Coordinates of all heavy atoms in Angstrom, one line a residue:
M1 N 0.9 -1.2 0.0 CA 0.0 0.0 0.0 C 0.9 1.2 0.0 O 1.9 1.3 0.7 CB -0.9 0.0 1.2 CG -2.3 0.5 1.0 SD -3.2 -0.3 -0.3 CE -3.6 -1.9 0.4
E2 N 0.5 2.2 -0.8 CA 1.2 3.5 -0.8 C 0.3 4.6 -0.3 O -1.0 4.4 -0.4 CB 1.7 3.8 -2.2 CG 3.1 3.2 -2.4 CD 3.6 3.4 -3.8 OE1 3.3 4.4 -4.4 OE2 4.4 2.6 -4.3
E3 N 0.9 5.7 0.1 CA 0.0 6.8 0.5 C 0.5 8.1 -0.2 O 1.7 8.3 -0.3 CB 0.2 7.0 2.1 CG -0.8 8.0 2.6 CD -0.9 8.0 4.1 OE1 -1.5 7.0 4.6 OE2 -0.5 8.9 4.8
V4 N -0.5 8.9 -0.6 CA -0.2 10.1 -1.3 C -1.0 11.2 -0.7 O -2.2 11.0 -0.3 CB -0.4 10.0 -2.8 CG1 -1.9 9.8 -3.2 CG2 0.2 11.2 -3.5
T5 N -0.5 12.4 -0.6 CA -1.3 13.6 -0.2 C -1.4 14.5 -1.4 O -0.4 14.9 -2.0 CB -0.5 14.4 0.9 OG1 -0.4 13.5 2.1 CG2 -1.4 15.6 1.4
I6 N -2.7 14.7 -1.8 CA -3.0 15.5 -3.0 C -3.6 16.8 -2.5 O -4.6 16.8 -1.8 CB -3.9 14.7 -3.9 CG1 -3.3 13.4 -4.3 CG2 -4.3 15.6 -5.1 CD1 -4.3 12.5 -5.0
K7 N -3.1 17.9 -3.0 CA -3.7 19.2 -2.8 C -5.0 19.3 -3.6 O -5.0 19.1 -4.8 CB -2.7 20.4 -3.2 CG -1.6 20.6 -2.2 CD -2.2 21.4 -1.0 CE -1.1 21.6 0.1 NZ -1.8 22.0 1.4
V8 N -6.1 19.7 -2.9 CA -7.4 19.8 -3.5 C -7.8 21.2 -3.5 O -8.0 21.8 -2.4 CB -8.4 18.9 -2.9 CG1 -9.7 18.9 -3.6 CG2 -7.9 17.4 -2.9
G9 N -8.0 21.8 -4.6 CA -8.5 23.2 -4.7 C -10.0 23.3 -5.0 O -10.5 22.5 -5.7
G10 N -10.7 24.2 -4.3 CA -12.1 24.5 -4.6 C -13.0 23.9 -3.6 O -14.3 24.1 -3.7
M11 N -12.6 23.3 -2.5 CA -13.5 22.8 -1.5 C -13.9 23.9 -0.6 O -13.0 24.5 0.0 CB -12.9 21.6 -0.7 CG -12.6 20.4 -1.5 SD -12.2 19.0 -0.4 CE -10.7 19.5 0.3
S12 N -15.2 24.1 -0.4 CA -15.6 25.2 0.4 C -16.5 24.8 1.6 O -16.9 25.7 2.4 CB -16.2 26.4 -0.4 OG -17.2 25.8 -1.3
C13 N -17.0 23.6 1.6 CA -17.8 23.2 2.8 C -17.6 21.7 3.0 O -17.0 21.0 2.2 CB -19.2 23.6 2.6 SG -20.2 22.5 1.5
Q14 N -18.3 21.2 4.0 CA -18.1 19.7 4.3 C -18.8 18.9 3.3 O -18.5 17.7 3.1 CB -18.6 19.4 5.7 CG -17.8 20.0 6.9 CD -16.4 19.4 6.9 OE1 -16.1 18.3 6.4 NE2 -15.4 20.1 7.4
G15 N -19.7 19.5 2.5 CA -20.4 18.7 1.4 C -19.3 18.4 0.4 O -19.3 17.3 -0.2
C16 N -18.5 19.3 0.1 CA -17.4 19.1 -0.9 C -16.5 18.0 -0.4 O -16.1 17.1 -1.1 CB -16.6 20.4 -1.0 SG -17.5 21.8 -1.6
V17 N -16.2 18.0 0.9 CA -15.3 17.0 1.5 C -15.9 15.6 1.3 O -15.3 14.7 0.9 CB -15.1 17.3 3.0 CG1 -14.4 16.1 3.7 CG2 -14.3 18.6 3.2
K18 N -17.3 15.6 1.5 CA -18.0 14.3 1.4 C -17.9 13.8 -0.1 O -17.8 12.6 -0.3 CB -19.4 14.5 1.9 CG -20.1 13.3 2.3 CD -21.5 13.6 2.9 CE -22.2 12.2 3.1 NZ -23.6 12.5 3.5
N19 N -18.1 14.8 -1.0 CA -18.1 14.4 -2.4 C -16.7 13.9 -2.8 O -16.7 12.8 -3.5 CB -18.5 15.6 -3.3 CG -19.9 16.0 -3.1 OD1 -20.8 15.2 -2.6 ND2 -20.2 17.3 -3.4
V20 N -15.7 14.5 -2.4 CA -14.3 14.1 -2.8 C -14.0 12.7 -2.1 O -13.5 11.8 -2.7 CB -13.3 15.1 -2.4 CG1 -11.9 14.6 -2.5 CG2 -13.5 16.4 -3.2
T21 N -14.4 12.6 -0.8 CA -14.2 11.4 -0.1 C -14.9 10.2 -0.7 O -14.3 9.2 -1.0 CB -14.6 11.5 1.4 OG1 -14.0 12.6 2.0 CG2 -14.4 10.3 2.2
G22 N -16.2 10.5 -1.1 CA -17.0 9.4 -1.7 C -16.4 8.9 -3.0 O -16.4 7.7 -3.3
A23 N -16.0 9.9 -3.9 CA -15.5 9.6 -5.2 C -14.2 8.8 -5.1 O -14.0 7.8 -5.8 CB -15.2 10.8 -6.0
L24 N -13.3 9.2 -4.1 CA -12.1 8.4 -4.0 C -12.3 7.0 -3.4 O -11.7 6.0 -3.8 CB -11.1 9.2 -3.1 CG -10.5 10.5 -3.7 CD1 -9.8 11.3 -2.6 CD2 -9.6 10.2 -4.8
A25 N -13.2 7.0 -2.4 CA -13.5 5.7 -1.7 C -14.1 4.7 -2.7 O -13.9 3.5 -2.5 CB -14.4 5.9 -0.5
A26 N -14.8 5.2 -3.7 CA -15.5 4.3 -4.7 C -14.5 3.8 -5.8 O -14.9 3.1 -6.6 CB -16.7 5.0 -5.3
T27 N -13.3 4.3 -5.7 CA -12.3 4.0 -6.8 C -11.6 2.7 -6.5 O -11.1 2.5 -5.3 CB -11.3 5.2 -6.9 OG1 -12.0 6.4 -7.3 CG2 -10.3 4.9 -8.0
A28 N -11.5 1.8 -7.4 CA -10.9 0.5 -7.2 C -9.4 0.7 -6.8 O -8.7 1.6 -7.4 CB -10.9 -0.3 -8.5
G29 N -9.0 0.0 -5.8 CA -7.6 0.1 -5.4 C -7.4 1.0 -4.2 O -6.3 1.1 -3.6
V30 N -8.4 1.8 -3.9 CA -8.3 2.8 -2.8 C -8.6 2.0 -1.4 O -9.7 1.4 -1.3 CB -9.2 4.0 -2.9 CG1 -9.2 4.8 -1.7 CG2 -8.7 4.8 -4.1
A31 N -7.7 2.2 -0.5 CA -7.9 1.5 0.8 C -8.3 2.4 1.9 O -8.9 2.0 2.9 CB -6.6 0.7 1.2
G32 N -8.0 3.7 1.8 CA -8.3 4.6 2.9 C -8.3 6.0 2.3 O -7.5 6.4 1.5
V33 N -9.2 6.9 2.9 CA -9.2 8.3 2.4 C -9.5 9.2 3.6 O -10.3 8.9 4.5 CB -10.4 8.5 1.5 CG1 -10.4 9.9 0.9 CG2 -10.4 7.5 0.3
A34 N -8.7 10.3 3.7 CA -8.9 11.3 4.7 C -8.8 12.6 4.0 O -7.8 13.0 3.5 CB -7.9 11.2 5.8
V35 N -9.9 13.4 3.9 CA -9.9 14.7 3.3 C -10.1 15.7 4.3 O -11.0 15.6 5.2 CB -11.1 14.7 2.2 CG1 -11.1 16.1 1.6 CG2 -10.9 13.6 1.2
S36 N -9.3 16.8 4.2 CA -9.3 17.9 5.2 C -9.7 19.2 4.4 O -9.0 19.6 3.5 CB -8.0 18.1 5.8 OG -7.9 19.3 6.5
L37 N -10.8 19.7 4.9 CA -11.2 21.0 4.3 C -10.3 22.1 4.7 O -9.9 23.0 3.9 CB -12.6 21.4 4.9 CG -13.3 22.7 4.5 CD1 -13.5 22.8 3.0 CD2 -14.6 22.9 5.2
E38 N -9.8 22.1 6.0 CA -8.9 23.2 6.5 C -7.6 23.2 5.7 O -7.1 24.2 5.4 CB -8.7 22.9 8.0 CG -9.9 23.1 8.9 CD -10.9 22.0 8.8 OE1 -10.6 20.9 8.3 OE2 -12.1 22.2 9.1
A39 N -7.1 22.0 5.5 CA -5.8 21.8 4.9 C -5.9 21.9 3.3 O -5.0 22.1 2.6 CB -5.1 20.6 5.3
G40 N -7.1 21.6 2.9 CA -7.3 21.6 1.4 C -6.6 20.5 0.8 O -6.0 20.6 -0.3
E41 N -6.6 19.3 1.4 CA -5.9 18.2 0.8 C -6.6 16.9 1.1 O -7.4 16.7 2.0 CB -4.5 18.2 1.3 CG -4.3 18.0 2.8 CD -2.8 18.2 3.2 OE1 -2.1 19.0 2.6 OE2 -2.4 17.6 4.2
A42 N -6.2 15.9 0.3 CA -6.7 14.5 0.5 C -5.5 13.6 0.7 O -4.6 13.6 -0.1 CB -7.5 14.1 -0.8
R43 N -5.6 12.8 1.7 CA -4.6 11.8 1.9 C -5.2 10.4 1.6 O -6.3 10.1 2.1 CB -4.1 11.7 3.4 CG -2.8 12.5 3.5 CD -2.3 12.5 5.0 NE -2.5 11.3 5.7 CZ -2.7 11.2 7.0 NH1 -2.9 12.3 7.7 NH2 -2.8 10.0 7.6
V44 N -4.6 9.7 0.7 CA -5.2 8.5 0.2 C -4.2 7.4 0.3 O -3.0 7.5 -0.1 CB -5.6 8.7 -1.3 CG1 -6.4 7.4 -1.8 CG2 -6.4 9.9 -1.5
S45 N -4.6 6.2 0.8 CA -3.8 5.1 0.7 C -4.4 4.1 -0.3 O -5.6 4.0 -0.4 CB -3.6 4.4 2.1 OG -4.8 4.0 2.6
Y46 N -3.5 3.6 -1.1 CA -4.0 2.9 -2.3 C -3.0 1.8 -2.7 O -1.8 1.8 -2.3 CB -4.2 3.9 -3.5 CG -2.9 4.5 -4.0 CD1 -2.2 4.1 -5.1 CD2 -2.4 5.6 -3.3 CE1 -1.0 4.7 -5.5 CE2 -1.2 6.2 -3.7 CZ -0.5 5.7 -4.8 OH 0.6 6.3 -5.2
D47 N -3.5 0.9 -3.5 CA -2.7 -0.2 -4.0 C -2.1 0.2 -5.4 O -2.9 0.3 -6.3 CB -3.5 -1.5 -4.2 CG -2.8 -2.6 -4.7 OD1 -1.6 -2.5 -5.0 OD2 -3.4 -3.7 -4.9
P48 N -0.8 0.4 -5.5 CA -0.3 0.9 -6.7 C -0.4 -0.1 -7.9 O -0.2 0.3 -9.1 CB 1.2 1.2 -6.4 CG 1.5 0.5 -5.2 CD 0.2 0.3 -4.4
A49 N -0.7 -1.3 -7.6 CA -0.9 -2.3 -8.7 C -2.2 -2.1 -9.4 O -2.5 -2.6 -10.5 CB -0.8 -3.7 -8.1
T50 N -3.1 -1.4 -8.7 CA -4.5 -1.2 -9.2 C -4.8 0.2 -9.7 O -5.4 0.4 -10.7 CB -5.5 -1.5 -8.1 OG1 -5.3 -2.9 -7.6 CG2 -7.0 -1.5 -8.6
V51 N -4.2 1.2 -9.0 CA -4.5 2.6 -9.3 C -3.3 3.5 -9.1 O -2.4 3.1 -8.3 CB -5.7 3.1 -8.5 CG1 -5.4 3.3 -7.0 CG2 -6.4 4.4 -9.1
S52 N -3.2 4.6 -9.8 CA -2.0 5.5 -9.7 C -2.4 6.8 -9.0 O -3.6 7.2 -9.0 CB -1.4 5.7 -11.1 OG -2.3 6.5 -11.8
A53 N -1.4 7.5 -8.5 CA -1.7 8.8 -7.9 C -2.3 9.7 -9.0 O -3.2 10.5 -8.7 CB -0.4 9.4 -7.4
N54 N -1.8 9.6 -10.2 CA -2.4 10.5 -11.3 C -3.9 10.1 -11.5 O -4.7 11.0 -11.8 CB -1.6 10.4 -12.6 CG -0.4 11.4 -12.6 OD1 -0.5 12.4 -11.9 ND2 0.6 11.1 -13.4
A55 N -4.2 8.9 -11.5 CA -5.6 8.5 -11.7 C -6.4 9.0 -10.5 O -7.6 9.4 -10.7 CB -5.7 7.0 -11.8
L56 N -5.9 9.1 -9.3 CA -6.6 9.6 -8.2 C -6.9 11.1 -8.4 O -7.9 11.6 -8.1 CB -5.8 9.4 -6.9 CG -5.6 7.9 -6.5 CD1 -4.7 7.8 -5.3 CD2 -6.9 7.2 -6.2
R57 N -5.9 11.8 -8.9 CA -6.0 13.2 -9.2 C -7.2 13.4 -10.2 O -8.0 14.3 -10.2 CB -4.7 13.8 -9.8 CG -3.7 13.9 -8.7 CD -2.4 14.6 -9.2 NE -1.4 14.6 -8.2 CZ -0.4 13.6 -8.1 NH1 -0.3 12.7 -9.0 NH2 0.4 13.7 -7.1
A58 N -7.2 12.5 -11.2 CA -8.3 12.6 -12.3 C -9.6 12.4 -11.7 O -10.6 13.1 -12.1 CB -8.0 11.6 -13.4
V59 N -9.8 11.5 -10.7 CA -11.0 11.3 -10.0 C -11.5 12.6 -9.3 O -12.7 12.9 -9.4 CB -10.9 10.1 -9.0 CG1 -12.1 10.1 -8.0 CG2 -10.8 8.8 -9.7
I60 N -10.6 13.2 -8.6 CA -10.9 14.5 -7.9 C -11.4 15.5 -8.9 O -12.3 16.3 -8.7 CB -9.7 15.0 -7.1 CG1 -9.4 14.0 -6.0 CG2 -9.9 16.4 -6.6 CD1 -8.0 14.2 -5.3
E61 N -10.7 15.6 -10.1 CA -11.1 16.6 -11.1 C -12.4 16.3 -11.7 O -13.2 17.2 -12.0 CB -10.0 16.7 -12.1 CG -8.7 17.3 -11.4 CD -7.6 17.8 -12.4 OE1 -7.6 17.4 -13.5 OE2 -6.9 18.7 -11.9
E62 N -12.7 15.0 -11.8 CA -14.0 14.6 -12.4 C -15.2 15.0 -11.5 O -16.3 15.3 -12.1 CB -14.1 13.0 -12.5 CG -13.5 12.5 -13.9 CD -13.2 11.0 -13.8 OE1 -13.9 10.3 -13.1 OE2 -12.3 10.6 -14.6
V63 N -15.0 15.1 -10.2 CA -16.1 15.6 -9.4 C -16.0 17.1 -9.2 O -16.8 17.7 -8.4 CB -16.2 14.9 -8.0 CG1 -16.6 13.4 -8.3 CG2 -14.9 14.9 -7.2
G64 N -15.2 17.8 -9.9 CA -15.2 19.3 -10.0 C -14.3 20.1 -9.2 O -14.4 21.3 -9.0
F65 N -13.2 19.4 -8.7 CA -12.2 20.2 -8.0 C -10.8 20.1 -8.7 O -10.6 19.3 -9.6 CB -12.1 19.6 -6.6 CG -13.4 19.6 -5.8 CD1 -14.3 18.6 -5.9 CD2 -13.7 20.8 -5.2 CE1 -15.5 18.7 -5.2 CE2 -15.0 20.9 -4.5 CZ -15.9 19.8 -4.6
D66 N -9.9 21.0 -8.2 CA -8.6 21.0 -8.8 C -7.7 20.1 -8.0 O -7.7 20.2 -6.7 CB -8.0 22.4 -8.8 CG -8.8 23.4 -9.7 OD1 -9.2 22.9 -10.8 OD2 -9.1 24.5 -9.3
A67 N -6.9 19.3 -8.6 CA -6.0 18.4 -7.9 C -4.6 18.6 -8.4 O -4.3 18.8 -9.6 CB -6.4 17.0 -8.2
A68 N -3.7 18.8 -7.5 CA -2.3 19.0 -7.9 C -1.4 18.0 -7.1 O -1.7 17.5 -6.0 CB -1.8 20.4 -7.6
Ligands
LIG1 MO1 -20.9 22.8 -0.3 MO2 -19.2 21.9 -2.3 O1 -22.6 23.6 -0.4 O2 -19.2 20.9 -4.0 S1 -20.9 20.8 -1.4 S2 -19.8 24.0 -1.8

């Protein structure tokens, strides 16, 4: 398992946090998700054999936020 911290831009309430968390948690290969509104970031643990950090960024952008 690997862990990555991704800066997430555009989250302005806990609903946004929930949307980002849900999208990441529903992604194959994701084992754990912690999204912080205050820090504006998502910490994700994932199986690199199944999903990549860049694919996780794409998931965040698909639900309408900026990921770097
Ligand atoms: Mo809060 Mo975010 O009302 O996509 S859910 S701004």
Side-chain angles (χ1 to χ4, degrees):
M1 218 54 72
E2 270 176 33
E3 189 168 289
V4 66
T5 300
I6 301 171
K7 282 282 173 197
V8 182
M11 292 192 298
S12 50
C13 78
Q14 289 297 336
C16 300
V17 170
K18 205 174 166 187
N19 292 339
V20 172
T21 302
L24 290 168
T27 301
V30 170
V33 185
V35 178
S36 167
L37 177 62
E38 294 73 21
E41 63 190 28
R43 261 179 42 212
V44 187
S45 60
Y46 64 99
D47 178 1
T50 304
V51 71
S52 66
N54 272 337
L56 297 173
R57 291 183 184 95
V59 167
I60 292 168
E61 294 195 335
E62 271 163 28
V63 291
F65 300 92
D66 295 320

